[in-house]
Amino acid sequence: MSKSMYEGAGRDLGSLETGLIDSYVGGGLSRRSFLVRGSVMGLGAAFLGSILAACGDDEDASPSTGGSTGAIKEGGTLRVASQRPGGPIDPVAMDNLGSYTIATTAFEYLCGKGEGAAIAPMLAESWSPNDDGSEWTFKLRSGVKWHDGTPFTAADVVATLDRLSVGNLASYIEAGAGTAVDDLTVTVKLLLADGQFPYQLSIWNPQSLITPADYETGTTLDGRPSGTGPFKLEKYDIATGATFARNDDWWGGKPNLEKVDFVFSDDIATQITGVLGGQADAIVLFAVVGGDALLSNPDVTVESISGAAHRQLWMNTREGTFTDVRVRQAVALGINRQELLDVVLKGRGQMGNDHPVAPSYEFFDSTQPQRERDIEKAKALLEEAGKAGLAVTMHVPKLVEIPQLAELMQTQLKDIGMDVTLNVISTDTFYDSWCKVYDSEVAPAGCDGGEEFGIVDYGNRGTPDVYLVKAYATGEWNSAHYISEPFNAAVAEYQASLDLAGRQAAIKTVQAIATEDVPYIIPYFYDSLIAYKKNVTGIVATGLGHYYLGSAGFTA
């Protein structure tokens, strides 16, 4: 690769960036991996495209928006059927898809959505690492205003980082990690080198929304409406919905829509009926089960987003019924994954193997044997552990296809002698059953006070870092109370690795340990389904509850 090609980056490139380019040019990376890794390094889409073109791979790399290609008219109110938020709309501490949808309509991230799992500029125009990935510099977008008219500056980012240092990003940074070099430049020093850190300040880490400098910890969007996004919160009622009005001063340009109305419901059938019956123009997420009417309707556009979204059946490894690994392995062996995939998803997904590393990730270890159903072995393990005839309650949210998943699991586990009672709970109270206390001092410190057995939802992510760190290696979302030093060491090795080969080696160990210890059963990775009327266009979705509407509108 000629030196002139490197100059097209618009900035000096370090060893990480040049190594990435050389690896792609030499055939060591796929186009997809190059785009994803390049976006994380802060290399612009135009520059990455020039490298692709130079190598004869110039397929359009720009992210697409869904819907009709007709001209968009100005005005109108888009009505969106959405899951009711399962807790406060706290931009840096929310924990459920319903809350993500509402918060991200007003607030924004430093890094937005690129092609596939790649990231792209949002509030940050560019970013770059030092040579070992231990410090990152973010150049902020100029001319951005908060909804009250005050300017967005580096001070807002630094203050947000300080709030995140004792919460969502505690494993990555400490208070004072962010420094405002000037009004539009921030440097972030990490506790440990991490070649993928910008993902933690992107859409793929929902709790990293940037908030005003004086936004105190615990402040909620409805308590103090704010944001830099294309719409301003006008009205919020957790029982019925939320209304947003157009932000004419949005940095991305005046939105087409005048207003957006979110219509809340815990019942997915009600949301689907709303779209079909004309009470809603779009739905944030729906399941194949019960969604046939949307999938077959010629007046509705359906998008399917493949990725790492999954359901996690947790088992408390610290106390109670599931402390013996043989019991957890028996439950895993009693599950018929192919039947779950065929019946619950109707084939719209991929089989899981009790670890959160999806086949879509570039470093996924495809050589690991797939866990297969073995009823006799499962029975024998329960017998050995003194748990034959085990009776237990499974706690599940009334969310998309999860009740149907739980019912089929209940039936399957009867075959190994288990008696499972289902407790299906509204999402506005379910998350206390999953993780009631976030600041427990009992190791692993964090998530505590929940039930010992249940299913929780994990949305799509561009990398598995959130799953590995929060659900396994730390206590924040670790409802299984799982502690494994070998696992934690493998995760640390994965995060510190600055090349694909290093990540592949670490992830191989991560997958093996998670499947053997089985603190969580992950039966499948599902395709996220969204839908909207044919006269709607410009929606950008992630499969994680985000519904970006800054460019959305109705066709003329």
Side-chain angles (χ1 to χ4, degrees), residues 312-317 319-322 327-332 335 390-397 406 409-410 413 416 418-425 430 433-435 449-456 479-481 518-521:
Q312 181 194 85
L313 176 63
W314 80 82
M315 294 172 281
N316 189 334
T317 66
E319 64 245 341
T321 305
F322 300 99
V327 178
R328 304 194 299 272
Q329 290 174 346
V331 177
I335 298 299
L390 175 63
V392 66
T393 297
M394 181 188 294
H395 303 267
V396 300
M409 280 186 167
Q410 178 188 44
L413 292 174
I416 66 170
M418 284 184 62
D419 179 10
V420 178
T421 299
L422 298 184
N423 180 26
V424 182
I425 314 167
F430 164 76
S433 297
W434 165 62
C435 183
E451 304 292 347
E452 67 174 352
F453 191 54
I455 301 176
V456 72
S479 51
H481 310 301
V518 65
Y520 306 102
I521 291 172

Side-chain angles (χ1 to χ4, degrees), residues 52 88 119 178 190 204 250 262 267 283 288 305 322 338 344 369 386 425 523 533 554:
L52 293 174
I119 54 179
L190 308 184
W204 300 115
W250 183 44
F262 288 96
D267 183 28
I283 184 171
V288 176
I305 304 171
F322 300 99
Q338 189 62 57
V344 179
I425 314 167
K533 294 291 187 64
F554 295 98

Side-chain angles (χ1 to χ4, degrees), residues 113-131:
K113 186 181 185 326
E115 179 188 4
I119 54 179
M122 192 173 250
L123 290 178
E125 286 190 320
S126 65
W127 50 91
S128 59
N130 63 357
D131 279 345

Side-chain angles (χ1 to χ4, degrees), residues 37 78 113 150 174 230 235 263 292 305 307 321-322 345 348 360 389 424 446 494 528 535 543:
R37 295 292 303 141
L78 185 73
K113 186 181 185 326
T150 57
E174 59 186 4
K235 182 174 62 176
V263 183
D292 291 338
I305 304 171
T321 305
F322 300 99
L345 298 186
R348 288 178 177 262
S360 60
V424 182
Y494 154 76
S528 302
N535 67 333

Side-chain angles (χ1 to χ4, degrees), residues 99-149:
S99 296
Y100 300 166
T101 303
I102 302 305
T104 56
T105 302
F107 288 104
E108 296 177 302
Y109 301 92
L110 288 186
C111 308
K113 186 181 185 326
E115 179 188 4
I119 54 179
M122 192 173 250
L123 290 178
E125 286 190 320
S126 65
W127 50 91
S128 59
N130 63 357
D131 279 345
D132 67 357
S134 63
E135 181 174 311
W136 289 78
T137 299
F138 293 84
K139 298 288 187 178
L140 307 181
R141 191 179 297 277
S142 63
V144 178
K145 296 180 180 179
W146 293 102
H147 289 168
D148 64 3

Side-chain angles (χ1 to χ4, degrees), residues 481-543:
H481 310 301
Y482 175 64
I483 300 176
S484 168
E485 292 306 321
F487 182 90
N488 292 353
V491 171
E493 180 185 346
Y494 154 76
Q495 291 182 293
S497 298
L498 300 178
D499 58 34
L500 180 58
R503 290 182 181 272
Q504 286 173 326
I507 286 295
K508 184 181 183 72
T509 302
V510 165
Q511 291 183 199
I513 295 174
T515 301
E516 176 65 22
D517 290 353
V518 65
Y520 306 102
I521 291 172
I522 298 177
Y524 54 61
F525 298 94
Y526 66 91
D527 294 349
S528 302
L529 301 177
I530 71 168
Y532 42 86
K533 294 291 187 64
K534 287 289 186 182
N535 67 333
V536 174
T537 190
I539 293 174
V540 176
T542 62

